[in-house]
mmCIF file of all heavy atoms in Angstrom:
data_model
loop_
_atom_site.group_PDB
_atom_site.id
_atom_site.type_symbol
_atom_site.label_atom_id
_atom_site.label_comp_id
_atom_site.label_asym_id
_atom_site.label_seq_id
_atom_site.Cartn_x
_atom_site.Cartn_y
_atom_site.Cartn_z
ATOM 1 N N ALA S 1 -21.700 70.217 -21.531
ATOM 2 C CA ALA S 1 -20.394 69.731 -21.162
ATOM 3 C C ALA S 1 -19.340 70.829 -21.272
ATOM 4 O O ALA S 1 -19.396 71.641 -22.166
ATOM 5 C CB ALA S 1 -20.008 68.552 -22.079
ATOM 6 N N PRO S 2 -18.379 70.904 -20.308
ATOM 7 C CA PRO S 2 -17.500 72.061 -20.248
ATOM 8 C C PRO S 2 -16.262 72.009 -21.169
ATOM 9 O O PRO S 2 -15.548 72.959 -21.212
ATOM 10 C CB PRO S 2 -17.014 71.991 -18.785
ATOM 11 C CG PRO S 2 -17.019 70.530 -18.460
ATOM 12 C CD PRO S 2 -18.234 69.966 -19.206
ATOM 13 N N ASP S 3 -16.115 70.983 -21.904
ATOM 14 C CA ASP S 3 -14.846 70.846 -22.685
ATOM 15 C C ASP S 3 -14.617 72.058 -23.642
ATOM 16 O O ASP S 3 -13.499 72.577 -23.660
ATOM 17 C CB ASP S 3 -14.898 69.581 -23.583
ATOM 18 C CG ASP S 3 -15.169 68.332 -22.776
ATOM 19 O OD1 ASP S 3 -16.173 68.306 -22.015
ATOM 20 O OD2 ASP S 3 -14.414 67.346 -22.875
ATOM 21 N N ASP S 4 -15.637 72.452 -24.363
ATOM 22 C CA ASP S 4 -15.469 73.611 -25.286
ATOM 23 C C ASP S 4 -15.150 74.902 -24.531
ATOM 24 O O ASP S 4 -14.368 75.726 -25.003
ATOM 25 C CB ASP S 4 -16.748 73.823 -26.106
ATOM 26 C CG ASP S 4 -17.020 72.713 -27.057
ATOM 27 O OD1 ASP S 4 -16.149 71.825 -27.253
ATOM 28 O OD2 ASP S 4 -18.114 72.738 -27.700
ATOM 29 N N LEU S 5 -15.723 75.050 -23.386
ATOM 30 C CA LEU S 5 -15.448 76.272 -22.567
ATOM 31 C C LEU S 5 -13.989 76.254 -22.122
ATOM 32 O O LEU S 5 -13.306 77.297 -22.139
ATOM 33 C CB LEU S 5 -16.337 76.306 -21.311
ATOM 34 C CG LEU S 5 -17.836 76.243 -21.569
ATOM 35 C CD1 LEU S 5 -18.592 76.365 -20.240
ATOM 36 C CD2 LEU S 5 -18.323 77.370 -22.554
ATOM 37 N N LEU S 6 -13.493 75.079 -21.692
ATOM 38 C CA LEU S 6 -12.064 75.001 -21.304
ATOM 39 C C LEU S 6 -11.178 75.352 -22.442
ATOM 40 O O LEU S 6 -10.168 76.042 -22.316
ATOM 41 C CB LEU S 6 -11.805 73.583 -20.763
ATOM 42 C CG LEU S 6 -12.543 73.188 -19.481
ATOM 43 C CD1 LEU S 6 -12.342 71.694 -19.219
ATOM 44 C CD2 LEU S 6 -12.122 74.011 -18.308
ATOM 45 N N PHE S 7 -11.513 74.823 -23.651
ATOM 46 C CA PHE S 7 -10.677 75.082 -24.813
ATOM 47 C C PHE S 7 -10.678 76.580 -25.157
ATOM 48 O O PHE S 7 -9.606 77.213 -25.334
ATOM 49 C CB PHE S 7 -11.171 74.281 -26.036
ATOM 50 C CG PHE S 7 -10.366 74.550 -27.257
ATOM 51 C CD1 PHE S 7 -9.194 73.858 -27.541
ATOM 52 C CD2 PHE S 7 -10.751 75.563 -28.172
ATOM 53 C CE1 PHE S 7 -8.441 74.138 -28.685
ATOM 54 C CE2 PHE S 7 -10.035 75.851 -29.290
ATOM 55 C CZ PHE S 7 -8.853 75.141 -29.560
ATOM 56 N N MET S 8 -11.845 77.152 -25.247
ATOM 57 C CA MET S 8 -11.931 78.560 -25.667
ATOM 58 C C MET S 8 -11.286 79.500 -24.690
ATOM 59 O O MET S 8 -10.717 80.487 -25.021
ATOM 60 C CB MET S 8 -13.363 78.990 -25.937
ATOM 61 C CG MET S 8 -14.019 78.393 -27.168
ATOM 62 S SD MET S 8 -13.097 78.497 -28.734
ATOM 63 C CE MET S 8 -12.581 80.206 -28.783
ATOM 64 N N ALA S 9 -11.419 79.149 -23.394
ATOM 65 C CA ALA S 9 -10.777 80.012 -22.361
ATOM 66 C C ALA S 9 -9.263 79.990 -22.502
ATOM 67 O O ALA S 9 -8.616 80.963 -22.090
ATOM 68 C CB ALA S 9 -11.198 79.485 -20.950
ATOM 69 N N GLN S 10 -8.707 78.891 -23.046
ATOM 70 C CA GLN S 10 -7.273 78.832 -23.287
ATOM 71 C C GLN S 10 -6.874 79.379 -24.650
ATOM 72 O O GLN S 10 -5.643 79.548 -24.855
ATOM 73 C CB GLN S 10 -6.830 77.382 -23.144
ATOM 74 C CG GLN S 10 -7.014 76.787 -21.756
ATOM 75 C CD GLN S 10 -6.236 77.494 -20.699
ATOM 76 O OE1 GLN S 10 -5.073 77.853 -20.884
ATOM 77 N NE2 GLN S 10 -6.891 77.810 -19.568
ATOM 78 N N HIS S 11 -7.844 79.641 -25.497
ATOM 79 C CA HIS S 11 -7.540 80.108 -26.821
ATOM 80 C C HIS S 11 -8.412 81.303 -27.200
ATOM 81 O O HIS S 11 -9.036 81.330 -28.262
ATOM 82 C CB HIS S 11 -7.747 78.978 -27.847
ATOM 83 C CG HIS S 11 -6.847 77.797 -27.615
ATOM 84 N ND1 HIS S 11 -5.549 77.784 -28.071
ATOM 85 C CD2 HIS S 11 -7.039 76.643 -26.943
ATOM 86 C CE1 HIS S 11 -5.011 76.611 -27.739
ATOM 87 N NE2 HIS S 11 -5.834 75.938 -27.027
ATOM 88 N N THR S 12 -8.456 82.307 -26.310
ATOM 89 C CA THR S 12 -9.310 83.472 -26.513
ATOM 90 C C THR S 12 -8.879 84.280 -27.736
ATOM 91 O O THR S 12 -9.654 85.101 -28.215
ATOM 92 C CB THR S 12 -9.381 84.340 -25.272
ATOM 93 O OG1 THR S 12 -8.062 84.693 -24.891
ATOM 94 C CG2 THR S 12 -10.068 83.569 -24.153
ATOM 95 N N GLU S 13 -7.646 84.032 -28.183
ATOM 96 C CA GLU S 13 -7.179 84.817 -29.363
ATOM 97 C C GLU S 13 -8.014 84.449 -30.612
ATOM 98 O O GLU S 13 -8.047 85.169 -31.628
ATOM 99 C CB GLU S 13 -5.690 84.559 -29.628
ATOM 100 C CG GLU S 13 -5.369 83.222 -30.224
ATOM 101 C CD GLU S 13 -5.331 82.071 -29.230
ATOM 102 O OE1 GLU S 13 -5.515 82.305 -28.030
ATOM 103 O OE2 GLU S 13 -5.150 80.905 -29.660
ATOM 104 N N ARG S 14 -8.726 83.296 -30.510
ATOM 105 C CA ARG S 14 -9.549 82.852 -31.660
ATOM 106 C C ARG S 14 -11.026 83.317 -31.539
ATOM 107 O O ARG S 14 -11.788 83.094 -32.416
ATOM 108 C CB ARG S 14 -9.480 81.362 -31.806
ATOM 109 C CG ARG S 14 -8.060 80.834 -31.992
ATOM 110 C CD ARG S 14 -8.028 79.470 -32.673
ATOM 111 N NE ARG S 14 -8.474 79.546 -34.035
ATOM 112 C CZ ARG S 14 -8.317 78.517 -34.934
ATOM 113 N NH1 ARG S 14 -7.730 77.406 -34.537
ATOM 114 N NH2 ARG S 14 -8.732 78.618 -36.160
ATOM 115 N N LEU S 15 -11.318 83.914 -30.450
ATOM 116 C CA LEU S 15 -12.685 84.386 -30.222
ATOM 117 C C LEU S 15 -12.895 85.704 -31.024
ATOM 118 O O LEU S 15 -12.118 86.656 -30.880
ATOM 119 C CB LEU S 15 -12.992 84.680 -28.755
ATOM 120 C CG LEU S 15 -13.494 83.546 -27.870
ATOM 121 C CD1 LEU S 15 -13.634 84.070 -26.417
ATOM 122 C CD2 LEU S 15 -14.804 83.029 -28.378
ATOM 123 N N VAL S 16 -13.950 85.746 -31.828
ATOM 124 C CA VAL S 16 -14.255 86.963 -32.554
ATOM 125 C C VAL S 16 -15.542 87.567 -32.006
ATOM 126 O O VAL S 16 -15.589 88.794 -31.900
ATOM 127 C CB VAL S 16 -14.453 86.580 -34.082
ATOM 128 C CG1 VAL S 16 -14.928 87.816 -34.838
ATOM 129 C CG2 VAL S 16 -13.186 86.083 -34.668
ATOM 130 N N ALA S 17 -16.510 86.776 -31.695
ATOM 131 C CA ALA S 17 -17.784 87.256 -31.123
ATOM 132 C C ALA S 17 -18.341 86.200 -30.180
ATOM 133 O O ALA S 17 -18.123 84.999 -30.380
ATOM 134 C CB ALA S 17 -18.744 87.627 -32.206
ATOM 135 N N VAL S 18 -19.087 86.649 -29.178
ATOM 136 C CA VAL S 18 -19.790 85.784 -28.252
ATOM 137 C C VAL S 18 -21.235 86.189 -28.170
ATOM 138 O O VAL S 18 -21.521 87.368 -27.828
ATOM 139 C CB VAL S 18 -19.140 85.834 -26.839
ATOM 140 C CG1 VAL S 18 -19.870 84.894 -25.902
ATOM 141 C CG2 VAL S 18 -17.689 85.410 -26.897
ATOM 142 N N HIS S 19 -22.136 85.259 -28.481
ATOM 143 C CA HIS S 19 -23.592 85.549 -28.388
ATOM 144 C C HIS S 19 -24.101 84.941 -27.089
ATOM 145 O O HIS S 19 -23.971 83.730 -26.861
ATOM 146 C CB HIS S 19 -24.314 84.899 -29.569
ATOM 147 C CG HIS S 19 -23.856 85.310 -30.918
ATOM 148 N ND1 HIS S 19 -24.135 84.685 -32.056
ATOM 149 C CD2 HIS S 19 -23.133 86.388 -31.263
ATOM 150 C CE1 HIS S 19 -23.577 85.292 -33.120
ATOM 151 N NE2 HIS S 19 -22.960 86.338 -32.647
ATOM 152 N N LEU S 20 -24.722 85.766 -26.250
ATOM 153 C CA LEU S 20 -25.125 85.402 -24.929
ATOM 154 C C LEU S 20 -26.627 85.210 -24.903
ATOM 155 O O LEU S 20 -27.396 86.083 -25.288
ATOM 156 C CB LEU S 20 -24.700 86.445 -23.932
ATOM 157 C CG LEU S 20 -23.201 86.699 -23.881
ATOM 158 C CD1 LEU S 20 -22.880 87.970 -23.062
ATOM 159 C CD2 LEU S 20 -22.460 85.474 -23.250
ATOM 160 N N ASN S 21 -27.089 84.046 -24.367
ATOM 161 C CA ASN S 21 -28.488 83.730 -24.336
ATOM 162 C C ASN S 21 -28.738 82.590 -23.347
ATOM 163 O O ASN S 21 -27.780 82.107 -22.753
ATOM 164 C CB ASN S 21 -29.054 83.403 -25.706
ATOM 165 C CG ASN S 21 -28.051 82.658 -26.564
ATOM 166 O OD1 ASN S 21 -27.441 81.683 -26.051
ATOM 167 N ND2 ASN S 21 -27.827 83.056 -27.788
ATOM 168 N N ASP S 22 -29.949 82.154 -23.265
ATOM 169 C CA ASP S 22 -30.290 81.039 -22.369
ATOM 170 C C ASP S 22 -31.190 80.051 -23.106
ATOM 171 O O ASP S 22 -31.899 80.459 -24.074
ATOM 172 C CB ASP S 22 -30.988 81.561 -21.091
ATOM 173 C CG ASP S 22 -30.954 80.610 -19.915
ATOM 174 O OD1 ASP S 22 -30.487 79.470 -20.076
ATOM 175 O OD2 ASP S 22 -31.423 80.992 -18.842
ATOM 176 N N ALA S 23 -31.176 78.809 -22.709
ATOM 177 C CA ALA S 23 -32.109 77.793 -23.233
ATOM 178 C C ALA S 23 -33.424 77.835 -22.455
ATOM 179 O O ALA S 23 -33.551 78.559 -21.467
ATOM 180 C CB ALA S 23 -31.487 76.432 -23.182
ATOM 181 N N VAL S 24 -34.396 77.094 -22.918
ATOM 182 C CA VAL S 24 -35.689 77.095 -22.343
ATOM 183 C C VAL S 24 -35.790 76.072 -21.207
ATOM 184 O O VAL S 24 -35.532 74.859 -21.471
ATOM 185 C CB VAL S 24 -36.796 76.854 -23.389
ATOM 186 C CG1 VAL S 24 -38.178 76.891 -22.736
ATOM 187 C CG2 VAL S 24 -36.747 77.894 -24.503
ATOM 188 N N LYS S 25 -36.183 76.498 -20.036
ATOM 189 C CA LYS S 25 -36.211 75.575 -18.915
ATOM 190 C C LYS S 25 -37.266 74.477 -19.101
ATOM 191 O O LYS S 25 -38.362 74.731 -19.621
ATOM 192 C CB LYS S 25 -36.590 76.382 -17.660
ATOM 193 C CG LYS S 25 -36.525 75.607 -16.342
ATOM 194 C CD LYS S 25 -36.797 76.529 -15.142
ATOM 195 C CE LYS S 25 -36.705 75.767 -13.825
ATOM 196 N NZ LYS S 25 -36.915 76.685 -12.715
ATOM 197 N N GLY S 26 -36.934 73.257 -18.712
ATOM 198 C CA GLY S 26 -37.829 72.136 -18.793
ATOM 199 C C GLY S 26 -37.916 71.475 -20.157
ATOM 200 O O GLY S 26 -38.641 70.417 -20.279
ATOM 201 N N VAL S 27 -37.188 71.948 -21.131
ATOM 202 C CA VAL S 27 -37.128 71.342 -22.441
ATOM 203 C C VAL S 27 -35.858 70.535 -22.641
ATOM 204 O O VAL S 27 -34.760 71.086 -22.523
ATOM 205 C CB VAL S 27 -37.247 72.430 -23.565
ATOM 206 C CG1 VAL S 27 -37.140 71.766 -24.958
ATOM 207 C CG2 VAL S 27 -38.510 73.262 -23.425
ATOM 208 N N PRO S 28 -35.968 69.242 -22.918
ATOM 209 C CA PRO S 28 -34.749 68.410 -23.077
ATOM 210 C C PRO S 28 -33.893 68.956 -24.234
ATOM 211 O O PRO S 28 -34.411 69.583 -25.200
ATOM 212 C CB PRO S 28 -35.312 67.054 -23.465
ATOM 213 C CG PRO S 28 -36.720 67.043 -22.890
ATOM 214 C CD PRO S 28 -37.209 68.425 -23.050
ATOM 215 N N VAL S 29 -32.593 68.738 -24.172
ATOM 216 C CA VAL S 29 -31.695 69.261 -25.175
ATOM 217 C C VAL S 29 -32.115 68.900 -26.634
ATOM 218 O O VAL S 29 -32.178 69.801 -27.485
ATOM 219 C CB VAL S 29 -30.248 68.752 -24.903
ATOM 220 C CG1 VAL S 29 -29.322 69.114 -26.055
ATOM 221 C CG2 VAL S 29 -29.691 69.369 -23.623
ATOM 222 N N PRO S 30 -32.521 67.675 -26.913
ATOM 223 C CA PRO S 30 -32.879 67.337 -28.268
ATOM 224 C C PRO S 30 -34.160 68.100 -28.763
ATOM 225 O O PRO S 30 -34.368 68.178 -30.001
ATOM 226 C CB PRO S 30 -33.141 65.843 -28.257
ATOM 227 C CG PRO S 30 -32.400 65.345 -27.077
ATOM 228 C CD PRO S 30 -32.487 66.435 -26.077
ATOM 229 N N GLU S 31 -34.915 68.662 -27.847
ATOM 230 C CA GLU S 31 -36.130 69.322 -28.219
ATOM 231 C C GLU S 31 -36.045 70.864 -28.185
ATOM 232 O O GLU S 31 -37.002 71.583 -28.469
ATOM 233 C CB GLU S 31 -37.272 68.887 -27.306
ATOM 234 C CG GLU S 31 -37.576 67.382 -27.448
ATOM 235 C CD GLU S 31 -38.604 66.914 -26.447
ATOM 236 O OE1 GLU S 31 -39.385 67.744 -25.914
ATOM 237 O OE2 GLU S 31 -38.613 65.684 -26.160
ATOM 238 N N GLN S 32 -34.891 71.410 -27.833
ATOM 239 C CA GLN S 32 -34.694 72.833 -27.898
ATOM 240 C C GLN S 32 -34.798 73.300 -29.329
ATOM 241 O O GLN S 32 -34.320 72.675 -30.241
ATOM 242 C CB GLN S 32 -33.299 73.198 -27.313
ATOM 243 C CG GLN S 32 -33.106 72.947 -25.868
ATOM 244 C CD GLN S 32 -33.777 73.966 -24.964
ATOM 245 O OE1 GLN S 32 -34.056 75.113 -25.375
ATOM 246 N NE2 GLN S 32 -34.002 73.589 -23.703
ATOM 247 N N ARG S 33 -35.469 74.502 -29.487
ATOM 248 C CA ARG S 33 -35.697 75.035 -30.834
ATOM 249 C C ARG S 33 -34.867 76.266 -31.073
ATOM 250 O O ARG S 33 -34.772 77.154 -30.206
ATOM 251 C CB ARG S 33 -37.199 75.331 -31.028
ATOM 252 C CG ARG S 33 -38.067 74.099 -30.986
ATOM 253 C CD ARG S 33 -37.812 73.238 -32.193
ATOM 254 N NE ARG S 33 -38.590 71.969 -32.160
ATOM 255 C CZ ARG S 33 -38.073 70.805 -31.845
ATOM 256 N NH1 ARG S 33 -36.801 70.698 -31.447
ATOM 257 N NH2 ARG S 33 -38.802 69.726 -31.881
ATOM 258 N N ASP S 34 -34.314 76.375 -32.246
ATOM 259 C CA ASP S 34 -33.370 77.437 -32.585
ATOM 260 C C ASP S 34 -33.952 78.848 -32.369
ATOM 261 O O ASP S 34 -33.300 79.698 -31.860
ATOM 262 C CB ASP S 34 -32.930 77.281 -34.005
ATOM 263 C CG ASP S 34 -31.849 78.279 -34.400
ATOM 264 O OD1 ASP S 34 -30.852 78.435 -33.613
ATOM 265 O OD2 ASP S 34 -31.987 78.960 -35.467
ATOM 266 N N MET S 35 -35.185 79.010 -32.728
ATOM 267 C CA MET S 35 -35.815 80.321 -32.639
ATOM 268 C C MET S 35 -36.424 80.640 -31.330
ATOM 269 O O MET S 35 -36.985 81.720 -31.118
ATOM 270 C CB MET S 35 -36.824 80.538 -33.779
ATOM 271 C CG MET S 35 -36.257 80.362 -35.180
ATOM 272 S SD MET S 35 -34.933 81.519 -35.558
ATOM 273 C CE MET S 35 -35.825 83.077 -35.605
ATOM 274 N N GLN S 36 -36.378 79.698 -30.414
ATOM 275 C CA GLN S 36 -36.981 79.901 -29.070
ATOM 276 C C GLN S 36 -35.845 79.872 -28.063
ATOM 277 O O GLN S 36 -35.325 78.821 -27.699
ATOM 278 C CB GLN S 36 -37.969 78.759 -28.745
ATOM 279 C CG GLN S 36 -39.206 78.797 -29.650
ATOM 280 C CD GLN S 36 -40.075 80.014 -29.401
ATOM 281 O OE1 GLN S 36 -40.255 80.459 -28.284
ATOM 282 N NE2 GLN S 36 -40.569 80.595 -30.491
ATOM 283 N N ARG S 37 -35.418 81.033 -27.644
ATOM 284 C CA ARG S 37 -34.321 81.181 -26.689
ATOM 285 C C ARG S 37 -34.735 82.198 -25.664
ATOM 286 O O ARG S 37 -35.690 82.926 -25.808
ATOM 287 C CB ARG S 37 -33.007 81.624 -27.335
ATOM 288 C CG ARG S 37 -32.642 80.856 -28.563
ATOM 289 C CD ARG S 37 -31.304 81.291 -29.088
ATOM 290 N NE ARG S 37 -31.055 80.847 -30.460
ATOM 291 C CZ ARG S 37 -30.034 81.086 -31.162
ATOM 292 N NH1 ARG S 37 -29.075 81.881 -30.694
ATOM 293 N NH2 ARG S 37 -29.906 80.659 -32.427
ATOM 294 N N ARG S 38 -33.977 82.271 -24.586
ATOM 295 C CA ARG S 38 -34.285 83.222 -23.531
ATOM 296 C C ARG S 38 -33.117 84.218 -23.386
ATOM 297 O O ARG S 38 -32.007 83.971 -23.889
ATOM 298 C CB ARG S 38 -34.486 82.470 -22.169
ATOM 299 C CG ARG S 38 -35.655 81.502 -22.190
ATOM 300 C CD ARG S 38 -37.003 82.249 -22.332
ATOM 301 N NE ARG S 38 -38.158 81.327 -22.301
ATOM 302 C CZ ARG S 38 -38.809 80.899 -23.375
ATOM 303 N NH1 ARG S 38 -38.464 81.341 -24.548
ATOM 304 N NH2 ARG S 38 -39.818 80.103 -23.198
ATOM 305 N N LEU S 39 -33.407 85.314 -22.743
ATOM 306 C CA LEU S 39 -32.397 86.262 -22.377
ATOM 307 C C LEU S 39 -31.345 85.620 -21.474
ATOM 308 O O LEU S 39 -31.690 84.684 -20.742
ATOM 309 C CB LEU S 39 -33.011 87.516 -21.746
ATOM 310 C CG LEU S 39 -33.904 88.342 -22.659
ATOM 311 C CD1 LEU S 39 -34.706 89.315 -21.789
ATOM 312 C CD2 LEU S 39 -33.021 89.113 -23.656
ATOM 313 N N PRO S 40 -30.103 86.044 -21.474
ATOM 314 C CA PRO S 40 -29.104 85.469 -20.586
ATOM 315 C C PRO S 40 -29.559 85.471 -19.157
ATOM 316 O O PRO S 40 -30.067 86.427 -18.659
ATOM 317 C CB PRO S 40 -27.905 86.427 -20.826
ATOM 318 C CG PRO S 40 -28.085 87.018 -22.160
ATOM 319 C CD PRO S 40 -29.546 87.181 -22.323
ATOM 320 N N LEU S 41 -29.405 84.319 -18.504
ATOM 321 C CA LEU S 41 -29.736 84.073 -17.153
ATOM 322 C C LEU S 41 -31.221 84.003 -16.806
ATOM 323 O O LEU S 41 -31.623 83.848 -15.708
ATOM 324 C CB LEU S 41 -29.092 85.106 -16.228
ATOM 325 C CG LEU S 41 -27.533 85.229 -16.323
ATOM 326 C CD1 LEU S 41 -27.072 86.390 -15.391
ATOM 327 C CD2 LEU S 41 -26.839 83.922 -15.979
ATOM 328 N N GLU S 42 -32.048 84.178 -17.856
ATOM 329 C CA GLU S 42 -33.519 84.271 -17.611
ATOM 330 C C GLU S 42 -34.099 82.998 -17.039
ATOM 331 O O GLU S 42 -34.870 83.045 -16.091
ATOM 332 C CB GLU S 42 -34.227 84.664 -18.925
ATOM 333 C CG GLU S 42 -35.724 84.878 -18.761
ATOM 334 C CD GLU S 42 -36.420 85.287 -20.042
ATOM 335 O OE1 GLU S 42 -35.706 85.559 -21.057
ATOM 336 O OE2 GLU S 42 -37.659 85.416 -20.042
ATOM 337 N N ASP S 43 -33.786 81.865 -17.635
ATOM 338 C CA ASP S 43 -34.314 80.589 -17.151
ATOM 339 C C ASP S 43 -33.297 79.787 -16.314
ATOM 340 O O ASP S 43 -33.649 78.786 -15.705
ATOM 341 C CB ASP S 43 -34.727 79.710 -18.359
ATOM 342 C CG ASP S 43 -36.136 80.022 -18.798
ATOM 343 O OD1 ASP S 43 -36.687 81.128 -18.375
ATOM 344 O OD2 ASP S 43 -36.714 79.260 -19.551
ATOM 345 N N GLY S 44 -32.055 80.242 -16.292
ATOM 346 C CA GLY S 44 -31.035 79.591 -15.494
ATOM 347 C C GLY S 44 -30.569 78.230 -15.977
ATOM 348 O O GLY S 44 -30.033 77.456 -15.259
#
């Protein structure tokens, strides 16, 4: 959902760091695993 993105884009003075990565394609959100991620844009 885009709400957080809209907020942070309007309050970039509060951004300290941004970690860029991708989730695993075909895995529902509740089943995504913290240690299993993809490189940014890898799975889309």
Side-chain angles (χ1 to χ4, degrees):
D3 305 53
D4 291 353
L5 305 182
L6 295 171
F7 178 88
M8 289 310 313
Q10 297 298 316
H11 297 278
T12 56
E13 77 282 353
R14 301 203 70 167
L15 274 176
V16 175
V18 179
H19 302 164
L20 301 166
N21 37 46
D22 201 354
V24 181
K25 187 176 182 179
V27 177
V29 171
E31 297 174 21
Q32 294 282 341
R33 294 293 176 259
D34 186 49
M35 300 302 291
Q36 296 292 321
R37 309 184 197 177
R38 298 294 183 258
L39 293 164
L41 304 177
E42 183 176 355
D43 276 14

